Amino acid sequence: DTGVSQDPRHKITKRGQNVTFRCDPISEHNRLYWYRQTLGQGPEFLTYFQNEAQLEKSRLLSDRFSAERPKGSFSTLEIQRTEQGDSAMYLCASSPRDSNYTFGSGTRLTVV
Amino acid sequence: AQRVTQPEKLLSVFKGAPVELKCNYSYSGSPELFWYVQYSRQRLQLLLRHISRESIKGFTADLNKGETSFHLKKPFAQEEDSAMYYCALQTGANNLFFGTGTRLTVIP
């Protein structure tokens, strides 16, 4: 286990299409987080899982966004009907109980 | 509401000079603060956290509750310190609020 893996690294999509990203956390980490980072900004919290339970969602996470972690292992983040404003780097992180985060390399989404 | 402010987007210092990256926060509860660093073409990683009170790569940061600050300091900057630095605040809700970051460039 070499860390948090995210797939794909880059995604270009047309406006209105749906996209799905995957995150594989460090296997012994029960907490998983999704963040979004736009140009010139720091990462912004989107949502948090403890095992398979989604415990917190940011108001940034509109109805077009949904995240799952079905077996408490990997997680997916889906964006429906993408808009140009969704273009950003989507970061996943995982942590054990003490919230010492390990981040993935991110998925860069470009909506054209 | 929580807020993390990093007033400098860019900071350049000469190698061997002292460096200070500023971070101020706003939070009504008991803050837990972190510094994260992102080197070129690498992922975001934890540099240090205030409760550890340790020095990592020569960097230290002291939480000043009176001034609501958590400035990052290093007495002698090295070229390999050039990176993007983010200050982050963790609330009781177990998520992090990040500042907008400071890009540090150490000039040889």
Side-chain angles (χ1 to χ4, degrees):
Chain A
D1 192 331
T2 56
V4 178
S5 299
Q6 291 189 246
D7 183 70
R9 292 293 300 272
H10 305 274
K11 178 71 177 179
I12 300 174
T13 191
K14 290 184 178 180
R15 189 177 53 174
Q17 297 294 304
N18 299 344
V19 294
T20 300
F21 311 139
R22 177 178 170 125
C23 172
D24 287 90
I26 293 174
S27 56
E28 59 266 29
H29 288 182
N30 63 343
R31 297 179 176 182
L32 186 146
Y33 311 81
W34 285 99
Y35 283 77
R36 181 178 70 184
Q37 186 173 20
T38 53
L39 200 61
Q41 301 297 316
E44 296 172 295
F45 171 76
L46 292 179
T47 190
Y48 153 58
F49 289 86
Q50 184 160 318
N51 299 312
E52 66 275 13
Q54 188 174 18
L55 297 185
E56 191 168 348
K57 288 166 53 171
S58 163
R59 57 184 167 79
L60 293 175
L61 213 65
S62 75
D63 291 345
R64 297 184 297 105
F65 287 70
S66 63
E68 294 182 345
R69 193 182 183 197
K71 296 183 180 178
S73 56
F74 73 92
S75 175
T76 57
L77 177 68
E78 181 183 16
I79 309 174
Q80 296 182 325
R81 305 181 303 282
T82 52
E83 302 172 355
Q84 286 190 318
D86 297 330
S87 295
M89 177 73 86
Y90 289 84
L91 296 169
C92 177
S94 69
S95 76
R97 292 174 60 87
D98 68 355
S99 70
N100 198 355
Y101 285 36
T102 300
F103 279 89
S105 297
T107 294
R108 183 171 296 283
L109 173 66
T110 303
V111 181
V112 298
Chain B
Q2 306 89 348
R3 182 175 296 173
V4 175
T5 304
Q6 294 181 250
E8 303 138 329
K9 289 194 91 63
L10 302 171
L11 181 64
S12 295
V13 300
F14 285 101
K15 178 182 173 181
V19 60
E20 181 179 54
L21 292 90
K22 291 185 167 53
C23 172
N24 288 89
Y25 68 91
S26 173
Y27 180 52
S28 57
S30 182
E32 187 168 351
L33 286 141
F34 302 79
W35 277 98
Y36 278 79
V37 61
Q38 188 165 26
Y39 301 103
S40 180
R41 299 189 199 88
Q42 294 188 28
R43 59 189 68 189
L44 193 60
Q45 58 187 281
L46 177 67
L47 179 61
L48 54 81
R49 52 195 303 180
H50 91 268
I51 59 172
S52 300
R53 302 187 65 84
E54 56 192 344
S55 173
I56 304 293
K57 299 184 179 182
F59 284 97
T60 59
D62 291 319
L63 177 61
N64 185 324
K65 291 188 178 181
E67 296 182 356
T68 61
S69 68
F70 188 57
H71 303 326
L72 183 68
K73 299 177 184 179
K74 184 170 182 177
F76 308 104
Q78 303 299 314
E79 288 179 65
E80 56 266 29
D81 296 329
S82 294
M84 194 75 183
Y85 291 81
Y86 294 96
C87 182
L89 166 69
Q90 181 173 311
T91 69
N94 197 46
N95 60 64
L96 292 175
F97 289 86
F98 285 86
T100 52
T102 297
R103 182 170 297 282
L104 174 66
T105 301
V106 180
I107 304 165

